[in-house]
Amino acid sequence: MNFQESITIRMLYSAEELTAVKDLESLIWADEDPVPVNHSIAVVKNGGMVIGAFSGARLIGFQYSFPGFDGTNVYLCSHSMGIDPDFRKMGIGEKLKLAQREEALKMGYRRIEWTYDPLETVNGYLNLS
């Protein structure tokens, strides 16, 4: 079995899982405040989603989205995605984005708006392609 086959992607709901996301955020963006767990819980209970990528039991990536509203339509705002530095450039981000699309359609969303850091060309390429 290759590494790609051993990656599990799934929705996250529990405080324990969302705490692991907060910890991974702190590892990835040490100089920024992570999303508080109580906020993540509120998001997943109210139309948003947090999706995790796992290697075995280890959380190695996540994608975080919340509902948006433009005055007329509800959409999904794809706010952040992070991959453990030890697991980058292995296609995990693409797997998370595809899972996000699938879950968004199941939830009834017809539009997703993505944000990305324009200084991170890998992020831009992933979001635009």
Side-chain angles (χ1 to χ4, degrees):
M1 175 187 316
N2 70 32
F3 176 76
Q4 289 295 327
E5 293 170 348
S6 66
I7 299 297
T8 304
I9 307 289
R10 64 179 174 79
M11 297 280 281
L12 306 179
Y13 301 99
S14 74
E16 181 180 354
E17 293 170 328
L18 297 170
T19 298
V21 170
K22 180 184 73 70
D23 294 344
L24 183 55
E25 279 185 276
S26 294
L27 172 71
I28 296 167
W29 298 291
D31 59 338
E32 294 182 28
D33 292 330
V35 175
V37 173
N38 64 341
H39 188 268
S40 297
I41 290 170
V43 165
V44 299
K45 288 183 175 185
N46 292 284
M49 66 177 74
V50 180
I51 303 172
F54 292 84
S55 175
R58 179 179 175 188
L59 179 71
I60 59 170
F62 72 92
Q63 193 293 312
Y64 173 80
S65 307
F66 55 84
F69 181 66
D70 65 10
T72 305
N73 298 300
V74 175
Y75 60 92
L76 192 64
C77 181
S78 182
H79 180 65
S80 62
M81 182 173 68
I83 310 297
D84 184 305
D86 293 339
F87 292 88
R88 292 189 181 148
K89 297 185 181 178
M90 298 180 179
I92 297 165
E94 181 179 10
K95 286 177 177 282
L96 285 166
K97 287 293 186 181
L98 291 171
Q100 177 193 36
R101 179 183 187 277
E102 182 180 320
E103 293 297 332
L105 288 169
K106 285 180 193 175
M107 294 172 76
Y109 288 106
R110 296 293 172 246
R111 183 172 107 204
I112 300 174
E113 291 198 3
W114 288 292
T115 60
Y116 67 94
D117 182 344
L119 300 176
E120 294 288 337
T121 56
V122 172
N123 289 347
Y125 179 79
L126 175 63
N127 281 293
L128 296 173
S129 65

